DNA sequence: CCGCGCCGCTATTAAAATTGTAGCAACCCC
DNA sequence: GGGGTTGCTACAATTTTAATAGCGGCGCGG
């Protein structure tokens, strides 16, 4: 598997491992934000529920993302499935505005 | 080149093309957020400045991202180089908190 | 205890995205 | 014309993702 982005260590795009760059590396992988989004909407989720919610994700990638997000302490596994950690939940307020912003964006693109 | 994510059209991860999914698709590509981040810190930027700021990005990918972001109306080209559009600038408030959050994240990871 | 269904997940092959490096054409300034 | 910078293309090597099939484990009804 690929290296898991960790703040403080070199990541793609930053030899210094500036935390924000590590975050961009982590979230900038396919489905990473999607998985967090789904979990923030409905929790807990089983592996198959996540797979279905993401419509086209392949199990291999889902599993890879889950491992990464677990290593990053954003999600955790409970008896009932995958859940957000407190840390992961604290990311939610940053993700929520994106949905609103995306709607405006859609409107702006539609106009032009 | 790959298809450019557009809200309302099917994107990777969403047949419906829910705007937020299109956004995740767009921003979830390597370097997309990094480029926006750099531009939000320093504007305008020439191609080579962006390339240097991103340390390890390859010109092919940079160019691809720039095309996508231009199609998404987030950035534009001026006489002095690449700049954020008003729309792109409106994304900045969503990106800024990420740097702060990433610092907390780094602390939390360091503790464990 | 057997079969059934659901579970998390691995395996495999193919396609696509990204990297790394070299270099071209256009431009400006002597 | 020579030398520098700029935006960007070309191309091969590598990594990542997609798509699909299916395994082994577990709970449950019979």
């Amino acid at each position: 598997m690929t290296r898991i982005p960790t703040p403080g260590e070199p990541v793609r795009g930053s030899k210094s491992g500036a935390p924000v760059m590590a975050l961009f590396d982590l979230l900038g992988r396919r489905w990473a934000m999607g998985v967090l989004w789904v979990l923030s909407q409905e929790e807990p989720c089983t592996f198959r529920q996540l797979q279905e919610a993401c419509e086209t994700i392949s199990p291999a990638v889902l599993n890879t993302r889950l491992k990464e997000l677990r290593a990053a302490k954003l999600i955790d596994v409970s008896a009932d499935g995958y859940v957000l950690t407190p840390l992961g939940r604290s990311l939610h307020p940053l993700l929520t505005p994106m949905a609103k912003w995306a709607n405006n964006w859609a409107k702006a693109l539609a106009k032009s």
Side-chain angles (χ1 to χ4, degrees), chain A:
Chain A
M1 201 173 63
T2 325
R3 152 179 269 244
I4 293 169
T6 310
E9 293 182 33
V11 270
R12 292 182 296 196
S14 174
K15 288 159 197 158
S16 60
V20 72
M21 283 304 171
L23 183 60
F24 284 163
D25 187 4
L26 180 70
L27 295 185
R29 297 178 180 196
R30 199 124 322 148
W31 289 111
M33 288 190 286
V35 167
L36 290 174
W37 180 256
V38 170
L39 273 181
S40 73
Q41 303 296 302
E42 187 182 355
E43 213 182 354
C45 269
T46 68
F47 190 94
R48 304 236 173 181
Q49 279 174 330
L50 284 171
Q51 210 180 330
E52 191 180 0
C54 292
E55 299 189 26
T56 66
I57 196 173
S58 80
V61 172
L62 176 54
N63 195 35
T64 304
R65 284 302 95 84
L66 289 173
K67 278 182 193 165
E68 291 166 359
L69 293 173
R70 264 192 287 174
K73 308 274 187 187
L74 296 184
I75 66 175
D76 211 348
V77 275
S78 76
D80 299 325
Y82 290 93
V83 292
L84 293 172
T85 62
L87 201 54
R89 241 185 299 275
S90 75
L91 194 57
H92 189 201
L94 308 195
L95 251 35
T96 308
M98 283 199 178
K100 285 181 199 162
W101 187 94
N103 285 329
N104 285 337
W105 175 52
K107 275 188 232 161
L109 284 188
K111 261 186 235 166
S112 57

